[in-house]
Amino acid sequence: MIKTILPPQTIGIIGGGQLGQMLAVSAKSMGYHVGILDPTPNSPAGQVSDFQIIAAYNDQAALTDFAKRVDVLTYEFENIDLDALNSVTQITELPQGTELLRLTRNRLIEKNNLQSLGIPTVNFIEISVKTLLEKQSAIEKCLPGILKTTTGGYDGHGQCDVNTIADIKAAAELYRDAPAILEQRISFEKEISVMVTIDGNENVRIWPVVENKHANHILQTTIAPADVTIEVTNQVNQIAHTLAQAFNLRGVLGIEMFVTTTNEVLVNELAPRPHNSGHYSIEAMNVSQFEGHIRSITGLPIDKLTMIAPALMHNLLGEQLVTARKQLNSHAEWHFHDYGKAEIRLGRKLGHYTVLGEKNINKNLTWLIDNEE
């Protein structure tokens, strides 16, 4: 059984971005103290927390000091130094452990692990200078595809579309220093995702299946719940349950999937923390993914999950945040979230809004088309 950690004990979050911010807000509302470790002064999560240590994620001394100041550690992103994180497990609680991080931070390891659990994925193959020379026929079977770095990629960074062997050779920067992964591009009906956790009473809790729309490999819009068949929902729930049990899950796991034209569900990627496509749950669920994460790592129970109303969540990227701010007086239905990031950059996630109910969903889909977002 996981150790129960009650308010006003302190939760330490490694990472100060928007996910950390929303975790911190949820934890603070429950009465916990919250600390952040992040190299950016006045980070989004730091703005709403009790304290922030400003240091690099691989700063062993800073991480040790941070661990001594908190009662439980969690993280909001995957690219953390595993050795540094393992070194502080004797100092404070780390319910999520580091094994799931190890498995999910490398796309090749992740895909191989999924297949070992009998969970279907797209076809894939390792890409390196050596495999390009020795396995061209096997590589061609995965084309056309998406070439991705095995680590460090996000929101379209570290990946590109490829159609031929020549395209792969032209993208050598993606596998010059370490092997990359080529994932076959498939015809699919929908991109979907789901969030899952295990609570303090060992109950597996699964949030609704949602549908996602991407542009340039960045999530644009999430519709909850997804318009999918019972057959698809059952496949998704079985996958989520299998993964939660296999990983002895603590905290939230995001599972990104494709639905094929034959209603087969294929897992694309895993995220061992709250996920962008779960933001709708703040307003649309009785328990948000962020509260669920906090309850899971502190050993608390989670009530049976129920949806309050169907929802649309739309990311605000770069200048879209500025446009949305100016439109606030015309959209009483928006549940508006501004992450408080200092710099506006093209494609950067700076905020989101959520609307509830079919009428508001349809109104905002029309607004998005009119504003060409």
Side-chain angles (χ1 to χ4, degrees):
M1 291 289 290
I2 186 174
K3 180 180 178 180
T4 301
I5 296 169
L6 297 173
Q9 290 178 280
T10 301
I11 298 172
I13 303 171
I14 301 172
Q18 63 267 22
L19 297 178
Q21 183 185 74
M22 288 179 269
L23 283 170
V25 168
S26 185
K28 290 292 294 177
S29 72
M30 296 173 67
Y32 289 99
H33 291 153
V34 178
I36 304 296
L37 188 145
D38 191 276
T40 304
N42 197 37
S43 67
Q47 294 170 25
V48 298
S49 299
D50 295 283
F51 69 92
Q52 178 181 339
I53 291 179
I54 300 171
Y57 301 124
N58 62 353
D59 185 329
Q60 186 65 67
L63 185 57
T64 299
D65 177 45
F66 189 54
K68 290 177 179 177
R69 297 179 62 180
V70 305
D71 299 292
V72 60
L73 271 178
T74 188
Y75 44 81
E76 67 140 19
F77 71 110
E78 293 93 318
N79 296 316
I80 305 169
D81 187 283
L82 292 185
D83 291 335
L85 196 56
N86 276 318
S87 71
V88 299
T89 56
Q90 301 302 313
I91 300 173
T92 192
E93 299 291 323
L94 182 66
Q96 294 154 278
T98 58
E99 178 62 8
L100 185 54
L101 268 180
R102 184 189 71 81
L103 293 173
T104 57
R105 68 188 305 170
N106 183 297
R107 289 187 172 103
L108 276 169
I109 294 174
E110 178 181 86
K111 286 286 198 302
N112 283 317
N113 184 259
L114 286 168
Q115 292 200 342
S116 74
L117 294 171
I119 294 174
T121 70
V122 297
N123 294 328
F124 66 94
I125 190 169
E126 178 181 320
I127 297 295
S128 65
V129 174
K130 183 178 180 180
T131 58
L132 271 176
L133 292 173
E134 299 177 354
K135 298 183 178 181
Q136 284 205 11
S137 61
I139 290 171
E140 287 173 348
K141 292 179 181 178
C142 285
L143 289 172
I146 304 173
L147 183 65
K148 302 178 180 180
T149 56
T150 53
T151 61
Y154 66 97
D155 289 345
H157 298 280
Q159 60 182 267
C160 67
D161 294 329
V162 290
N163 297 305
T164 64
I165 294 288
D167 291 341
I168 296 175
K169 291 179 178 178
E173 71 277 1
L174 296 181
Y175 55 88
R176 182 178 291 116
D177 299 323
I181 182 173
L182 174 65
E183 298 174 355
Q184 186 176 27
R185 198 158 60 236
I186 63 167
S187 297
F188 57 86
E189 288 290 320
K190 296 178 188 291
E191 292 180 88
I192 61 173
S193 60
V194 76
M195 314 303 296
V196 60
T197 194
I198 296 179
D199 73 4
N201 290 337
E202 303 301 320
N203 297 306
V204 176
R205 297 302 192 197
I206 304 173
W207 279 262
V209 184
V210 301
E211 181 177 353
N212 302 313
K213 301 290 186 182
H214 291 79
N216 300 317
H217 303 290
I218 302 175
L219 179 64
Q220 301 288 307
T221 301
T222 294
I223 300 287
D227 182 14
V228 293
T229 65
I230 292 295
E231 175 190 2
V232 166
T233 299
N234 289 340
Q235 288 182 69
V236 170
N237 288 342
Q238 182 59 56
I239 288 169
H241 200 278
T242 297
L243 289 174
Q245 297 285 13
F247 297 146
N248 189 26
L249 184 62
R250 300 299 170 191
V252 164
L253 175 70
I255 310 171
E256 297 180 62
M257 294 158 284
F258 301 118
V259 180
T260 71
T261 53
T262 57
N263 267 356
E264 182 183 12
V265 175
L266 304 177
V267 173
N268 182 31
E269 291 185 356
L270 305 178
R273 37 79 182 164
H275 190 265
N276 192 172
S277 66
H279 292 354
Y280 77 93
S281 62
I282 297 173
E283 288 85 18
M285 298 293 299
N286 64 321
V287 179
S288 75
Q289 65 165 342
F290 301 102
E291 181 182 346
H293 184 94
I294 297 299
R295 284 181 169 271
S296 177
I297 65 168
T298 57
L300 297 178
I302 298 173
D303 198 9
K304 183 178 179 181
L305 298 174
T306 59
M307 178 168 275
I308 297 167
L312 174 148
M313 186 284 302
H314 180 67
N315 274 331
L316 297 169
L317 310 176
E319 290 292 336
Q320 291 176 0
L321 176 68
V322 178
T323 300
R325 285 171 177 165
K326 295 175 181 177
Q327 294 282 339
L328 270 176
N329 60 350
S330 301
H331 289 278
E333 77 280 8
W334 282 0
H335 296 274
F336 187 73
H337 297 258
D338 185 331
Y339 305 147
K341 294 183 179 181
E343 183 182 358
I344 293 177
R345 294 199 306 265
L346 181 67
R348 191 184 194 194
K349 294 175 181 174
L350 298 178
H352 75 269
Y353 66 79
T354 299
V355 299
L356 302 182
E358 294 294 343
K359 180 179 178 180
N360 286 329
I361 290 173
N362 292 332
K363 172 184 176 181
N364 278 269
L365 288 173
T366 300
W367 185 85
L368 291 173
I369 292 170
D370 291 344
N371 284 269
E372 297 183 346
E373 294 189 357

